[in-house]
Amino acid sequence: MEPVKVGLLGLGTVGGGTATVLKRNAEEIARRAGRGIVIDYAANLDLSRAAELGLSDVRLTQNAFDVVNDPDIQIVVELIGGYTVARDLVLQAIRSGKHVVTANKALIALHGNEIFAAAQEKGVMVAFEAAVAGGIPVIKAVREGLAANRIEWLAGIINGTGNFILTEMRDKGRAFGDVLAEAQALGYAEADPTFDVEGIDAGHKLTILSSIAFGIPLQFRQTYTEGITKITAEDVTYATELGYRIKHLGIARRTAKGIEQRVHPTLIPHRRLIANVDGVMNAVLVKGDAVGPTLYYGAGAGAEPTASAVIADLVDVTRALTADPENRVPHLAFQPTQLADTAILPIEEVETAFYLRMCAVDRPGVLADVTRILGDRQISIEAFIQKEPTSGVDKVDIIMLTQRVREGNMNEAIAAIEALDTICSSVTRIRVEALG
């Protein structure tokens, strides 16, 4: 059979990796797909990049719409990022009857419902394995490998930058700002690291995983996101003393009240496998009712790991080019007409345990005031650390682990504690998950 002709939008890190791996493993990929897959047309603002990648036989343009509108192109691979021009390009490709492969998590999280509806109407596929956790095939695992299961919950380290920062803070006792600067120098973090350190990038990915796990529409704006910028070296040390490690987790959980969908720093018992995922690596833990917990671990970013997922999607689309559209794997695992309208819970209704750290004046009755406030809101203390003040200092750190409590109750308690004249700073709180 004639090779499938691919139009590649973007020759940056992932685009370059995709071109390299497609060329290097062309024979193996063709054996798996049943026919060859070739880049026929590519778009990039810097056309000299094509020569660096050995794409001398590929048609080139600076206008991505030239590729999308070309009648010879069967699959469009969108790797330019963002969610404005990328949305227009993907929708135009679908209108032109072309299949789409993308690594763009923001695009899918924000506009996926619209894109999938357009693809369903046109009878084309949109594949996005590379949008979550880089080279880890977690979307395929949840959507297809765990299709027999009712997914109970999932939790993932799905941003390598945040994981690198927290690992360095734990292993070397370094401050957040110091490690962030190194992450930027190493290329792990952007010049503006907001998406990584404030949980937005992880929120995009969690939105996608949650929709696939629970059969609900994509709802990024209902995803609670909290970053790691307020985590201190002291918090990391105290967590270790209590037998925990701090990880920046995306968590989605099915409850009787609705779906929890949240990204935030989390204390995890140090013996859990996911607590030992360090550096820039990613991992996703998924609990199914039949299979139990399963862990997916690997490189969450990088040229060739992400290209691995992009090309896997290309192989899937190539295999399905002649398949009846009604018999293809649904974009969000469940048939489009069968998506549930289950509510996403506001963070105030979520129940977790909490780590609390507060600075208090070293005088009698302070601890009694704090415990009274917690007790009035049915918040029980699981563990407690009070450090001795250093010489000449009349302030001391108080650290507590609570049992599970509704977040709204904890918000009220923290507000009351911070109103005490013996508390000398805002209360630091980090949620705690056993993940068992």
Side-chain angles (χ1 to χ4, degrees):
M1 298 179 69
E2 288 292 318
V4 170
K5 293 183 178 180
V6 171
L8 181 58
L9 310 183
L11 295 175
T13 299
V14 179
T18 298
T20 299
V21 176
L22 265 178
K23 185 173 183 179
R24 186 178 70 222
N25 296 341
E27 182 179 350
E28 188 82 0
I29 291 167
R31 289 173 60 207
R32 293 179 185 274
R35 59 197 293 192
I37 300 173
V38 298
I39 299 172
D40 183 66
Y41 206 173
N44 203 57
L45 291 178
D46 179 8
L47 297 182
S48 66
R49 173 75 170 143
E52 299 171 15
L53 297 169
L55 299 178
S56 57
D57 55 343
V58 172
R59 293 181 291 154
L60 300 172
T61 180
Q62 292 179 307
N63 185 350
F65 284 97
D66 292 344
V67 178
V68 167
N69 293 321
D70 189 280
D72 290 337
I73 297 302
Q74 296 163 277
I75 306 173
V76 171
V77 179
E78 183 278 308
L79 300 175
I80 63 172
Y83 40 83
T84 51
V85 175
R87 170 183 171 273
D88 295 338
L89 289 165
V90 166
L91 289 174
Q92 178 59 27
I94 291 169
R95 284 192 290 267
S96 301
K98 303 181 190 305
H99 302 281
V100 173
V101 171
T102 180
N104 193 332
K105 63 268 186 180
L107 176 69
I108 297 299
L110 291 169
H111 300 297
N113 296 325
E114 175 190 19
I115 289 168
F116 297 151
Q120 183 75 16
E121 181 178 351
K122 197 68 179 179
V124 299
M125 299 175 64
V126 177
F128 50 97
E129 180 67 66
V132 178
I136 307 172
V138 66
I139 289 177
K140 184 179 290 291
V142 176
R143 187 171 59 188
E144 299 165 47
L146 300 180
N149 289 257
R150 177 180 170 86
I151 303 300
E152 298 177 1
W153 55 264
L154 61 85
I157 297 169
I158 43 182
N159 181 273
T161 302
N163 200 42
F164 171 79
I165 291 171
L166 290 174
T167 300
E168 288 290 300
M169 290 176 70
R170 186 194 74 227
D171 289 351
K172 300 177 183 177
R174 300 169 65 188
F176 171 84
D178 176 38
V179 185
L180 174 59
E182 181 182 350
Q184 290 171 313
L186 293 171
Y188 298 153
E190 302 289 341
D192 179 358
T194 302
F195 268 42
D196 291 325
V197 300
E198 295 295 352
I200 299 169
D201 175 78
H204 290 147
K205 298 168 183 175
L206 181 71
T207 298
I208 297 169
L209 286 175
S210 182
S211 293
I212 292 170
F214 305 123
I216 58 176
L218 294 149
Q219 298 170 72
F220 171 68
R221 289 178 177 82
Q222 302 302 317
T223 302
Y224 174 81
T225 57
E226 181 181 318
I228 60 173
T229 56
K230 295 180 181 178
I231 303 297
T232 66
E234 289 79 10
D235 291 320
V236 174
T237 299
Y238 292 143
T240 301
E241 287 186 35
L242 290 162
Y244 291 83
R245 290 183 175 175
I246 301 177
K247 293 295 183 182
H248 200 196
L249 286 190
I251 298 172
R253 188 188 304 272
R254 189 197 302 268
T255 76
K257 295 179 181 179
I259 304 296
E260 297 176 8
Q261 203 163 285
R262 48 196 170 95
V263 173
H264 50 69
T266 310
L267 266 71
I268 311 170
H270 72 93
R271 290 183 179 275
R272 296 281 188 250
L273 283 173
I274 199 168
N276 293 281
V277 174
D278 290 335
V280 295
M281 303 304 284
N282 281 197
V284 180
L285 183 61
V286 184
K287 174 73 182 304
D289 68 330
V291 73
T294 55
L295 181 68
Y296 308 88
Y297 167 87
E304 294 203 2
T306 309
S308 169
V310 170
I311 295 168
D313 278 344
L314 281 172
V315 170
D316 277 353
V317 173
T318 299
R319 288 169 174 164
L321 276 173
T322 57
D324 184 346
E326 284 73 27
N327 293 321
R328 293 173 182 157
V329 177
H331 293 108
L332 293 177
F334 294 75
Q335 295 298 332
T337 58
Q338 299 300 312
L339 295 181
D341 59 358
T342 310
I344 305 296
L345 290 181
I347 193 64
E348 292 79 14
E349 295 300 321
V350 171
E351 290 188 3
T352 65
F354 284 88
Y355 157 98
L356 303 176
R357 175 175 58 83
M358 61 200 79
C359 172
V361 177
D362 186 29
R363 72 172 66 154
V366 175
L367 187 57
D369 288 339
V370 172
T371 55
R372 173 183 52 78
I373 288 170
L374 295 175
D376 287 347
R377 291 158 181 83
Q378 291 77 51
I379 301 172
S380 299
I381 298 171
E382 183 77 23
F384 171 80
I385 298 174
Q386 181 173 347
K387 295 295 185 180
E388 292 295 326
T390 56
S391 179
V393 177
D394 65 347
K395 297 174 182 176
V396 63
D397 275 348
I398 298 173
I399 300 93
M400 296 178 175
L401 281 185
T402 76
Q403 294 184 356
R404 291 178 67 84
V405 60
R406 176 180 167 273
E407 177 116 4
N409 289 22
M410 181 56 74
N411 290 343
E412 293 177 9
I414 289 175
I417 290 170
E418 290 178 341
L420 295 172
D421 60 6
T422 51
I423 299 299
C424 47
S425 68
S426 59
V427 176
T428 296
R429 55 117 175 254
I430 306 174
R431 296 161 192 87
V432 181
E433 292 284 350
L435 299 181

